[in-house]
Amino acid sequence: MFALRACRGARPVPPPPTDLAQQLAALRQPLLRFAQMQLRNDALAEDAVSETMLAVLEAPERFEGRSSLRTYATGILKFKVVDVMRRRGREVEVMPQEDQTHDEALEALFNADGHYVDRPPAWHLPDAALEQTQFLAVMQQCLERLPPRLARVFMLREWQEHDTDEICAELGITANNAGVMLFRARMQLRECLQARWFKSLPQ
Amino acid sequence: MTGPPAPAPEAPALTCKEVARLLSDGQDRDLPAAERTRLKLHLAICTACRNVEQQFNFIRRAMKRLGAPDDPG
């Protein structure tokens, strides 16, 4: 499965620790889904994930002592996605204009007079969650549940950290379109994290 | 029985839905002063929207955590 095996004669790289390779293999699907949210192209997502896994396997000492292989690999994936996007060329992928007039998921959160149906409660010590690998897995699940267009815009803004002007140029959308989509994405993520993580914690 | 003074007709109070949109917009650009003021007034009296403000900020921190290649461990 790993390219290193096929190339063993060509390059004197010591084999990675077995358990690291096995853990990384288990991450392939989640990494692939993450890459697909950005790239919307299976072959390119495969490229980005393969390059990520190679990067980890070729320098296993860089990972030593870190508590989360998943977070480490996802961080590398971020840069590999950028590389793949650059190699793909600067074609602008124009997104259809988002329908601003109707969003059932968003409408369901508010009454007709603009008040919350369920008032959002405070979350208990949210930053403690950032140190827990299980929370980061939940975060990724919630990202994957975003509708594809919302995910694309949200990932460009919050993961790749592009500003809205860049996003509008890249996707061929207006600033207001981007604003609506980011709003919907944030509200949906908030709901998802509350339902899947913070709701069951002691308040 | 007299109630509180009505808000100025040209600046009706923001609804929580409008505030949520402003809070999201504020993550991406500087809000104009007038909107910032109306937002602050609403947040001063609305715990639900204060919670949402904190949670949007938290989501941003969580995304940075996901994006960081170095896990401080």
Side-chain angles (χ1 to χ4, degrees):
Chain A
M1 174 197 167
F2 297 116
L4 275 180
R5 288 222 180 97
C7 297
R8 190 182 290 173
R11 192 166 25 176
V13 175
T18 317
D19 55 343
L20 177 65
Q22 281 172 351
Q23 285 175 58
L24 200 54
L27 287 178
R28 189 173 170 276
Q29 281 305 319
L31 288 174
L32 202 53
R33 288 197 298 269
F34 220 58
Q36 281 164 341
M37 287 167 70
Q38 280 278 253
L39 293 167
R40 324 285 339 150
N41 176 304
D42 288 352
L44 292 177
E46 292 274 2
D47 284 351
V49 171
S50 297
E51 290 178 25
T52 298
M53 291 171 73
L54 274 172
V56 176
L57 291 169
E58 285 177 356
E61 69 284 353
R62 285 204 202 127
F63 172 65
E64 271 166 32
R66 292 178 162 86
S67 62
S68 167
L69 180 61
R70 184 184 200 131
T71 312
Y72 177 67
T74 305
I76 294 175
L77 178 63
K78 176 172 147 179
F79 294 103
K80 296 300 179 188
V81 163
V82 170
D83 288 348
V84 166
M85 285 168 81
R86 270 199 208 112
R87 287 202 304 265
R88 176 165 66 182
R90 302 206 44 78
E91 75 229 29
V92 171
E93 292 180 49
V94 177
M95 285 176 56
Q97 299 297 330
E98 194 71 9
D99 180 7
Q100 298 173 53
T101 58
H102 189 63
D103 177 352
E104 285 177 359
L106 194 60
E107 298 303 314
L109 297 176
F110 297 100
N111 292 322
D113 52 2
H115 295 308
Y116 281 104
V117 171
D118 291 312
R119 290 173 64 78
W123 291 348
H124 182 67
L125 296 178
D127 285 86
L130 296 179
E131 300 309 313
Q132 299 181 51
T133 51
Q134 191 52 31
F135 171 77
L136 296 173
V138 168
M139 182 75 189
Q140 184 159 337
Q141 285 167 25
C142 287
L143 286 166
E144 289 167 20
R145 290 171 66 86
L146 288 173
R149 283 183 207 155
L150 300 193
R152 185 107 181 273
V153 178
F154 183 79
M155 295 292 276
L156 280 171
R157 179 77 186 107
E158 299 293 338
W159 195 49
Q160 299 289 354
E161 295 180 273
H162 292 189
D163 64 34
T164 47
D165 288 343
E166 289 176 275
I167 293 170
C168 292
E170 284 170 81
L171 300 180
I173 59 177
T174 65
N176 191 46
N177 281 165
V180 169
M181 284 194 272
L182 288 167
F183 174 44
R184 289 168 60 190
R186 288 174 177 132
M187 290 301 277
Q188 188 170 324
L189 280 170
R190 203 212 69 79
E191 290 296 306
C192 181
L193 289 174
Q194 183 166 294
R196 290 175 175 237
W197 185 266
F198 292 102
K199 203 172 225 172
S200 52
L201 295 181
Q203 289 299 312
Chain B
M1 181 169 98
T2 55
E10 69 278 5
L14 294 172
T15 66
C16 292
K17 186 176 180 184
E18 289 166 329
V19 167
R21 174 68 194 267
L22 281 177
L23 288 172
S24 176
D25 288 352
Q27 297 273 313
D28 307 316
R29 61 183 173 93
D30 293 331
L31 297 175
E35 284 185 309
R36 271 205 316 273
T37 305
R38 295 169 75 200
L39 183 60
K40 275 193 158 68
L41 287 171
H42 181 102
L43 291 174
I45 59 167
C46 182
T47 55
C49 290
R50 282 204 301 277
N51 292 336
V52 171
E53 180 186 35
Q54 287 179 21
Q55 287 151 14
F56 279 179
N57 290 336
F58 170 77
I59 286 170
R60 173 157 286 175
R61 291 198 296 278
M63 289 305 294
K64 285 191 156 54
R65 189 79 175 77
L66 269 179
D70 293 331
D71 185 10

